[in-house]
Amino acid sequence: MGNIVVSPHDKEGQHHMMATPTSNNPNGGSAATAKNKSEITVLLLGAGESGKSTLFKQVQFFHGVGITHDQERIELIEIVRLNVLENAKNLVAATQHLNIPIEQPENRETAKLIINSLNTNDLEDPSWSKRLYSLWKDAGIQKAYENREKFQLYDSTEYLFENLDRICSDKYVPTVVDVIRTRTKTIGITDMKFDVGDGKQLRLVDVGGQRNERRKWIHFFNTVDAVVFLTSLSEFDLNLYEDNGYWRVKESLRVFNEVVNNALFYKVPFVLLFNKRDLFEKKIATKSFSKYFSGFNEAEEKNPVACIEYMTKLFLNEITEHPLDTVSVKTLSAIDHDNSKQVFEEVKQFIMTQQHRE
Amino acid sequence: MKPLSDQDLLLYFTKFKKEIKPRDHTYLFTSYANCFSGKEAVKTLTSLFNNLSMEDAIQLGNQMIERKLFIHVTHESSQLLNKRYEFYRFTNFRRCSKRLSIMNVTQFTSSLDASYQKVIQDEYNNKGRVGDIRILLDDVYLSSQNNNQTATGGAISTANAVTSNSAVLSRSSSFFSSACVQSFLNDDIALVNNQTNETDTSSPDQQQNASSISLFGKKISVPLKIRKNSQPSHQNSPPMSGSFDNPNLLKKSPRGNNSPFTGFSSELSPHHKSSSAEDLYGRKVRLNEYVDVNSLGVGSPLKSIATSSADDSSPLQDTPSPQNESSVVSSSPRRHGMIARTTSQDFELKRNLEDMDLDFDKFANIDEVLKHPKACAILTKFAFDEYAEESIYFWKDLKAYKKESRIDCKLDMAIKIFDTYVNPDGSLALNITKKQIVECRRKYLNADDDCFDDIQKEVKIILNDLLDRLRLGIQQQKTNQINMLNSKSSLIPSSTSNLKMSRSDESIAFVQ
């Protein structure tokens, strides 16, 4: 038939697709929760680059899974180096975009090579360490880096460039910190299980945060026992990765609103984590916080506590349906091992007590 | 003026094309054959549709240019310029109309074809518009769409009325005259384009008409056929194989039971069955299964899904139909519950684990993995379990797209790829930036080989990451399981529960 006839079917099909996971999961999911209540599923949600995977990796690490062994980290060399290259490329592209010339001619040569031909295997050559470092120290690049809110750049750029001499060698094995600081765009959904005592297992689910990834979240909504929502404090001057021109805070608030007011989560303990506190404190020292929030008192803008309080209020205002006593708010710096361990323990405790109350 | 739909635009364009008279223009000692100036075009457009202002006319023209219905003679401008010495010419209409209304054309059914053919033939006999059949078709189609197909009948009847009124002689003569004119204007390229393949219309008899129409009919049916043929090769890729009709089946069924690791648990079922019957025979069957599986080049652990569903049918069955699989999901766990496991099965498991490891260490990069059917199958299953399947499907579809050489199929595929993967509302939208989407939207209708290249780069990074995750996952699972198998020797439930990864939990839940 012509498209008139087909298109309604198509639409129906799509609806089905949206509906199936939800209608499918209860059979498997609720049966699972009924039978083994010993398993607690915790979802890590949040917009893109809010640090879900970083926290996930930290938790993996202090439970001795995954990246603890050298053998497994070797597999990740490629990713670390790719991060370095991506960062370098983005910076060089930004210098062109922002019209800031790279000053040293030899650095310009390096930049050309980076854009055109460099790949991760080349980074085994230690000479690249020097060249990349001198590029990084170039006044033009540094100026672009100061204006990094105008383009997309990973948070770990500085760290990676400072550690180039280790990364650019053929004997390089990524350290745990390296792995935690690298950024990979999570695609799909990964999970991990570990024991939390009392014969209970905690299942931590990590998801991707970009817009298209969010539609996959729904697959887990029915089986969830607790939600940890992460949002980045330091994103107040940044725009979205997937849509450069959309303010990240706005997106975070929107996603938070959708998640927290979801009927499926009414009875679920909810943790709101403000991530990247370390970056945030550095950032407000140099940048104006009140410029982005009209309701914020300008005199307080250098005081991180007041800023965080303001952000908290902003997010809690979004909660319209969810009972407030099952919401917990914490700040976190996910790249800091001790801090994330402590915060995660608190979160775990909170979830467990909430579970008990039920 | 708001952007028009293809159909509407085509209507305007039909009128416009009928009205404007391309001729040879000379400017700065260069002559441009068979074209019209921008000023002429704007004038024609405004005079044709008298409610159009100058700006609207220009915008309408721009939309036509955007769809490449006509283009600047020297490709200097992608805008319609209201000037005397900017010349434009019509493009090959067959190609553009493909570009415009491909969806409709490919979706014609045979029953509709007959009536349309009649209408077309009548109209064609009446007016002798050879090359414009396509436009005409779209005209007719549009009218039928508007009036919910009742108009089709109307169109036929009016067309019939016209035919009966006008004498047979007159139509053949009118046609003949147009052919004569055409032979005089040998350099008239646009007309040649209009007249398409059947330009040697020196004998404008009924047979000729019939042949042209049947040829046209073939053109319609070709894309449909191709889609059917491509189905087997695309088994894992829902969007291209036209299984859109019930994506829920596709989504749901393989999920329950198909991580590389659950594969083992379900794989046990046929063994159990046979061992409970007669041991020797059972073992034989199993061996055969393994041989077949390996020679097929599909990952044996994954293969197990097929074998478990193929108790009675042949184990060679490549990928089970969704219905089959869903039934397995529900049935296999029950079987696990019934049967105790033997040490030989443990051994099989161990062997398989090592086998899988072998597979992935020898691949240097993602390209090799994707070329290797077995490894690719494992990766696909893994991606499915991790809800990251869209990248692999995109990769596969893009590969097919690049291989395709027929322009019409290619365009069809480009549209599908765009709608499914690139469009943020698509059923399998990729994780890419808006900038990339906008860039791609700008050029995908040209159906060039490189229009998805930027996205491909991005997807490659994603796939690399996925492969790393798979490797890590396999490594972890393998050590876990080998430890497990070494330490314990009995009961299935506890061991199968460790044989799983993420999404298989649902099926495992039954076991427990």
Side-chain angles (χ1 to χ4, degrees):
Chain A
M1 284 285 136
N3 59 349
I4 350 151
V5 190
V6 172
S7 53
H9 273 294
D10 265 354
K11 263 187 192 148
E12 232 168 78
Q14 275 186 353
H15 278 295
H16 266 294
M17 204 162 85
M18 294 301 281
T20 15
T22 34
S23 61
N24 193 23
N25 268 357
N27 303 335
S30 63
T33 42
K35 276 189 183 167
N36 48 341
K37 193 66 192 150
S38 61
E39 189 179 295
I40 304 167
T41 310
V42 178
L43 274 185
L44 289 176
L45 301 182
E49 285 185 61
S50 56
K52 296 176 293 296
S53 300
T54 314
L55 183 64
F56 187 77
K57 277 187 272 188
Q58 287 281 16
V59 175
Q60 260 189 337
F61 175 58
F62 53 71
H63 283 91
V65 208
I67 53 176
T68 341
H69 312 290
D70 281 6
Q71 193 57 44
E72 285 167 3
R73 286 205 302 273
I74 285 180
E75 308 257 344
L76 300 169
I77 293 181
E78 182 87 6
I79 294 180
V80 178
R81 288 188 174 148
L82 210 64
N83 259 252
V84 175
L85 279 189
E86 281 283 299
N87 276 323
K89 269 184 197 167
N90 284 346
L91 276 170
V92 171
T95 54
Q96 283 169 2
H97 178 69
L98 300 173
N99 247 334
I100 308 168
I102 300 171
E103 285 179 2
Q104 305 299 323
E106 69 263 23
N107 288 340
R108 243 172 270 161
E109 279 306 304
T110 318
K112 229 180 254 171
L113 276 175
I114 287 170
I115 293 286
N116 293 329
S117 61
L118 198 64
N119 63 42
T120 47
N121 291 337
D122 297 339
L123 290 185
E124 272 177 29
D125 184 359
S127 69
W128 270 104
S129 146
K130 279 205 188 80
R131 297 179 73 174
L132 282 174
Y133 192 74
S134 93
L135 176 74
W136 164 243
K137 282 293 167 199
D138 190 281
I141 293 281
Q142 282 296 324
K143 206 168 168 195
Y145 182 66
E146 275 160 34
N147 290 312
R148 59 185 175 276
E149 75 274 3
K150 294 192 181 122
F151 56 97
Q152 296 292 333
L153 197 66
Y154 305 154
D155 291 328
S156 54
T157 313
E158 197 172 348
Y159 173 84
L160 287 174
F161 276 107
E162 294 296 334
N163 287 286
L164 272 176
D165 47 338
R166 267 191 314 114
I167 296 167
C168 297
S169 97
D170 47 353
K171 289 190 208 70
Y172 172 62
V173 176
T175 64
V176 176
V177 183
D178 289 347
V179 173
I180 281 168
R181 307 260 333 214
T182 49
R183 150 117 184 105
T184 42
K185 196 166 64 175
T186 312
I187 304 293
I189 290 165
T190 20
D191 71 342
M192 168 188 68
K193 282 183 190 145
F194 51 89
D195 292 317
V196 287
D198 307 348
K200 287 197 178 180
Q201 268 204 326
L202 201 137
R203 176 166 176 226
L204 197 63
V205 182
D206 180 31
V207 298
Q210 280 79 25
R211 283 179 182 169
N212 80 313
E213 299 291 324
R214 277 179 224 143
R215 67 172 82 181
K216 300 172 186 165
W217 293 2
I218 193 135
H219 297 287
F220 278 87
F221 276 14
N222 265 16
T223 55
V224 71
D225 298 303
V227 179
V228 176
F229 190 93
L230 282 103
T231 176
S232 166
L233 281 169
S234 69
E235 69 188 5
F236 67 84
D237 60 345
L238 298 177
N239 281 338
L240 277 185
Y241 162 83
E242 61 265 41
D243 179 0
N244 209 345
Y246 199 92
W247 190 29
R248 285 199 187 194
V249 176
K250 204 169 157 191
E251 181 84 352
S252 269
L253 282 169
R254 202 164 59 89
V255 179
F256 180 69
N257 190 342
E258 272 167 34
V259 171
V260 82
N261 296 324
N262 192 319
L264 286 167
F265 295 152
Y266 286 172
K267 289 186 177 154
V268 168
F270 209 97
V271 182
L272 175 59
L273 283 183
F274 285 105
N275 195 8
K276 306 193 186 177
R277 199 190 49 220
D278 50 332
L279 267 180
F280 176 69
E281 281 167 11
K282 267 187 218 159
K283 203 174 241 178
I284 56 167
T286 55
K287 293 221 165 79
S288 164
F289 182 76
S290 57
K291 194 176 124 193
Y292 296 93
F293 299 95
S294 54
F296 188 71
N297 181 8
E298 210 170 311
E300 294 251 49
E301 71 171 0
K302 298 294 175 208
N303 178 3
V305 181
C307 297
I308 291 171
E309 232 167 63
Y310 179 79
M311 291 281 277
T312 314
K313 228 182 273 167
L314 211 63
F315 272 86
L316 291 186
N317 272 345
E318 295 285 330
I319 305 177
T320 52
E321 312 289 332
H322 199 279
L324 275 172
D325 58 330
T326 56
V327 179
S328 163
V329 184
K330 292 186 191 335
T331 58
L332 167 77
S333 159
I335 49 163
D336 181 349
H337 180 240
D338 295 330
N339 179 262
S340 52
K341 187 165 184 175
Q342 186 202 337
V343 171
F344 190 73
E345 281 304 316
E346 285 170 25
V347 169
K348 210 160 74 183
Q349 221 52 51
F350 173 73
I351 292 168
M352 301 287 268
T353 48
Q354 292 290 337
Q355 286 274 318
H356 266 294
R357 252 201 330 192
E358 277 177 32
Chain B
M1 182 169 210
K2 66 178 199 310
L4 293 166
S5 75
D6 284 350
Q7 294 285 353
D8 292 340
L9 194 69
L10 204 64
L11 264 184
Y12 282 111
F13 177 69
T14 322
K15 285 183 189 155
F16 171 66
K17 196 175 176 184
K18 255 187 277 177
E19 198 62 29
I20 201 154
K21 301 278 178 288
R23 58 188 175 85
D24 291 0
H25 287 268
T26 309
Y27 178 62
L28 289 180
F29 308 110
T30 317
S31 77
Y32 302 97
N34 191 33
C35 52
F36 52 92
S37 73
K39 205 169 182 86
E40 277 170 17
V42 174
K43 203 174 148 198
T44 315
L45 281 171
T46 41
S47 66
L48 257 182
F49 314 107
N50 36 17
N51 56 346
L52 272 188
S53 67
M54 187 82 89
E55 287 91 290
D56 280 350
I58 289 174
Q59 275 187 27
L60 181 63
N62 282 339
Q63 286 188 40
M64 289 176 187
I65 292 178
E66 202 179 298
R67 259 85 151 200
K68 297 216 165 47
L69 291 173
F70 62 88
I71 52 173
H72 194 270
V73 272
T74 52
H75 301 271
E76 268 167 9
S77 169
S78 56
Q79 302 280 316
L80 180 58
L81 303 166
N82 188 11
K83 291 199 178 133
R84 258 186 85 188
Y85 296 115
E86 298 288 345
F87 303 123
Y88 297 85
R89 66 175 173 81
F90 290 114
T91 50
N92 182 327
F93 188 73
R94 216 157 246 271
R95 261 176 86 169
C96 334
S97 65
K98 269 288 181 196
R99 242 174 224 159
L100 278 171
S101 52
I102 182 104
M103 301 315 265
N104 303 332
V105 174
T106 50
Q107 281 164 8
F108 277 172
T109 60
S110 50
S111 64
L112 281 175
D113 271 351
S115 61
Y116 279 126
Q117 270 183 20
K118 199 168 182 317
V119 177
I120 295 154
Q121 195 164 356
D122 289 340
E123 187 82 354
Y124 167 67
N125 293 339
N126 186 26
K127 294 185 184 161
R129 298 197 309 181
V130 183
D132 284 1
I133 277 188
R134 221 161 238 285
I135 296 184
L136 181 68
L137 183 81
D138 284 315
D139 279 356
V140 174
Y141 184 60
L142 186 73
S143 68
S144 76
Q145 199 176 6
N146 288 341
N147 305 332
N148 265 342
Q149 297 202 347
T150 47
T152 323
I156 293 172
S157 60
T158 48
N160 278 341
V162 172
T163 342
S164 55
N165 285 348
S166 60
V168 182
L169 261 173
S170 75
R171 53 181 142 98
S172 62
S173 67
S174 76
F175 183 71
F176 188 69
S177 64
S178 82
C180 284
V181 170
Q182 208 251 317
S183 64
F184 278 118
L185 300 168
N186 264 340
D187 53 342
D188 196 334
I189 300 156
L191 259 177
V192 174
N193 285 341
N194 281 352
Q195 307 249 344
T196 66
N197 305 349
E198 299 85 41
T199 356
D200 54 334
T201 43
S202 41
S203 59
D205 53 9
Q206 203 64 28
Q207 236 176 354
Q208 181 74 37
N209 301 347
S211 78
S212 76
I213 280 166
S214 68
L215 193 137
F216 181 64
K218 259 185 238 157
K219 284 232 165 179
I220 294 175
S221 59
V222 161
L224 282 174
K225 249 188 234 158
I226 281 156
R227 223 181 293 165
K228 262 173 213 153
N229 287 342
S230 67
Q231 203 150 355
S233 64
H234 266 294
Q235 266 148 349
N236 282 328
S237 109
M240 280 303 208
S241 55
S243 9
F244 263 140
D245 308 357
N246 43 5
N248 50 331
L249 270 181
L250 266 160
K251 270 279 184 214
K252 166 176 80 179
S253 53
R255 282 244 157 102
N257 204 11
N258 67 354
S259 93
F261 312 104
T262 27
F264 301 122
S265 53
S266 60
E267 163 224 305
L268 295 172
S269 42
H271 307 190
H272 297 323
K273 215 175 192 182
S274 51
S275 63
S276 64
E278 56 257 285
D279 240 322
L280 196 70
Y281 180 62
R283 190 150 297 175
K284 228 178 194 171
V285 166
R286 197 164 74 222
L287 278 176
N288 279 343
E289 272 170 13
Y290 272 99
V291 171
D292 286 337
V293 162
N294 289 334
S295 66
L296 255 175
V298 182
S300 49
L302 300 166
K303 188 61 198 172
S304 57
I305 298 159
T307 48
S308 65
S309 73
D311 282 10
D312 37 5
S313 59
S314 94
L316 276 160
Q317 189 184 356
D318 204 85
T319 326
S321 70
Q323 289 91 337
N324 247 351
E325 246 180 283
S326 54
S327 73
V328 173
V329 172
S330 57
S331 65
S332 58
R334 252 182 283 128
R335 284 190 219 151
H336 289 306
M338 296 194 302
I339 299 129
R341 99 165 0 172
T342 62
T343 43
S344 71
Q345 281 152 4
D346 279 354
F347 178 72
E348 300 268 9
L349 268 173
K350 247 188 244 179
R351 216 191 55 194
N352 274 323
L353 291 169
E354 277 149 24
D355 188 39
M356 226 153 69
D357 181 47
L358 259 177
D359 269 337
F360 279 90
D361 275 351
K362 72 179 178 205
F363 297 117
N365 56 31
I366 185 76
D367 287 326
E368 282 177 37
V369 174
L370 289 165
K371 267 180 205 147
H372 194 281
K374 183 172 164 184
C376 185
I378 293 177
L379 189 67
T380 311
K381 298 282 180 194
F382 177 74
F384 219 103
D385 275 1
E386 298 264 304
Y387 291 95
E389 67 274 19
E390 70 272 358
S391 312
I392 290 188
Y393 290 155
F394 172 76
W395 189 275
K396 284 179 180 169
D397 281 347
L398 193 64
K399 223 161 94 186
Y401 167 75
K402 287 198 170 171
K403 265 189 198 156
E404 182 61 66
S405 54
R406 284 159 297 198
I407 179 71
D408 30 351
C409 301
K410 210 167 171 113
L411 184 71
D412 199 355
M413 288 166 108
I415 290 171
K416 275 224 161 102
I417 290 178
F418 185 85
D419 283 348
T420 326
Y421 303 105
V422 184
N423 194 337
D425 300 324
S427 54
L428 290 165
L430 290 163
N431 192 340
I432 45 177
T433 66
K434 195 173 182 184
K435 203 172 139 203
Q436 285 164 322
I437 295 170
V438 170
E439 188 76 3
C440 183
R441 191 191 298 278
R442 213 164 46 79
K443 55 189 183 185
Y444 81 99
L445 274 176
N446 294 346
D448 297 328
D449 262 349
D450 60 349
C451 59
F452 295 109
D453 273 7
D454 290 345
I455 295 169
Q456 194 185 5
K457 264 183 217 156
E458 187 74 33
V459 167
K460 195 168 172 182
I461 295 173
I462 291 173
L463 285 176
N464 261 319
D465 184 39
L466 196 70
L467 181 65
D468 284 334
R469 253 155 72 186
L470 175 62
R471 277 179 179 153
L472 275 179
I474 287 177
Q475 190 141 21
Q476 273 172 30
Q477 291 290 318
K478 199 184 68 164
T479 44
N480 282 355
Q481 282 157 43
I482 288 181
N483 288 346
M484 195 63 75
L485 291 172
N486 285 341
S487 63
K488 63 109 225 98
S489 53
S490 54
L491 293 168
I492 313 140
S494 61
S495 66
T496 39
S497 67
N498 288 308
L499 285 174
K500 74 203 163 182
M501 260 197 63
S502 56
R503 216 172 312 172
S504 39
D505 293 12
E506 283 148 27
S507 64
I508 295 302
F510 287 109
V511 183
Q512 291 173 338

